[in-house]
Amino acid sequence: MNQRFVIVGTDTGVGKTVISAALVSALDAFYWKPVQAGLEGETDSQAVARLSGAPAHRILPEACRLRRAASPHLAARAEGVEIDAAALEPPACEGPLVIETAGGVMTPLNDHALTIDALKRWRLPIVLVAPMRLGAINHSLLTIEALQRRDLSLIGVVFVGDEDADVERSIATFGDVRRLGRLPWLDPLNAQTLRAAFDAGVDRAAFGANA
Ligand SMILES: Nc1ncnc2c1ncn2[C@@H]1O[C@H](COP(=O)(O)OP(=O)(O)OP(=O)(O)O)[C@@H](O)[C@H]1O
Ligand SMILES: [Mg+2]
């Protein structure tokens, strides 16, 4: 059975796409963004293609593409549609699969289902991405508690940003979770710098990758 992971974040804009791209590169994985809300500029699938260097066939089509950059349930409503959350099923593929959720785990998909409800149905191992910024401890612990309450399998946390060992330790200890590593802020950020920093900073063994 190929490995499949779900990348969740403490919030929107925390680095889920960047970590997904690094994992796609490191594991030669496929990538799937179930719901893309916001089509202006680069989509997450396009960013992952650019930052992983993966060939086009490894970027699987989104189940749902919505124009407005908003919570998926509101972006869908703006187009007069509703996301069929029960129909969101990870696609079959010939290799590992990295799934990137939209927003945070409590982000609604429609008026009845949250992102975490889909995670519960999928029962796949989860990786939490947490940014090194003020508020990260609180947001991380709230997310971890929500996952633990539902008996979801959290592999660990990947931090993004400047080193702060005290913050990382606080999250790992209070949350009783594994620290998988940290990706520093990169300038420039491209496929080469990302992969090198990911290999140096993140424990690939946690993902079953051949180092
Ligand atoms: N390590 C990093 N170095 C440089 N820039 C980064 C890094 N991590 C993230 N960024 C930038 O920060 C922004 C947000 O990151 P990203 O798109 O990965 O967040 P996200 O959690 O996927 O957001 P969304 O909820 O919209 O899917 C992007 O412009 C991205 O390029
Ligand atoms: Mg993203």
Side-chain angles (χ1 to χ4, degrees):
M1 183 66 191
N2 281 315
Q3 307 137 318
R4 299 189 292 175
F5 305 100
V6 189
I7 310 301
V8 308
T10 55
D11 200 353
T12 186
V14 295
K16 296 185 300 291
T17 298
V18 171
I19 295 298
S20 296
L23 267 173
V24 165
S25 168
L27 304 178
D28 286 330
F30 288 72
Y31 171 82
W32 184 51
K33 177 94 179 177
V35 179
Q36 171 69 42
L39 298 178
E40 243 169 62
E42 199 177 42
T43 63
D44 283 10
S45 293
Q46 289 166 339
V48 168
R50 176 174 59 85
L51 290 172
S52 68
H57 78 274
R58 285 211 260 119
I59 311 295
L60 303 175
E62 302 96 337
C64 199
R65 287 167 59 88
L66 301 161
R67 281 189 296 276
R68 187 177 286 188
S71 176
H73 73 311
L74 300 179
R77 191 184 296 165
E79 293 183 27
V81 297
E82 184 174 305
I83 296 170
D84 184 356
L88 292 178
E89 275 301 320
C93 58
E94 299 291 315
L97 175 63
V98 174
I99 302 171
E100 182 190 343
T101 53
V105 298
M106 292 298 179
T107 295
L109 294 170
N110 57 35
D111 288 343
H112 316 283
L114 302 169
T115 295
I116 202 165
D117 297 319
L119 299 179
K120 220 173 129 182
R121 209 155 37 74
W122 297 342
R123 294 257 151 225
L124 295 174
I126 294 165
V127 175
L128 175 62
V129 177
M132 300 307 292
R133 65 183 181 213
L134 205 58
I137 298 177
N138 177 54
H139 282 144
S140 299
L141 295 179
L142 284 169
T143 304
I144 291 164
E145 184 170 299
L147 297 173
Q148 287 171 343
R149 271 185 57 181
R150 290 163 180 80
D151 283 328
L152 293 172
S153 150
L154 178 61
I155 300 174
V157 185
V158 177
F159 296 97
V160 176
D162 296 335
E163 181 172 17
D164 190 332
D166 289 331
V167 169
E168 295 180 24
R169 205 166 23 246
S170 300
I171 292 168
T173 306
F174 279 114
D176 192 21
V177 289
R178 183 166 166 195
R179 177 193 180 280
L180 300 175
R182 181 178 60 85
L183 183 75
W185 202 254
L186 299 172
D187 186 13
L189 170 65
N190 57 45
Q192 288 70 36
T193 60
L194 174 59
R195 179 61 194 279
F198 183 83
D199 286 352
V202 179
D203 177 14
R204 288 179 61 187
F207 302 95
N210 304 317

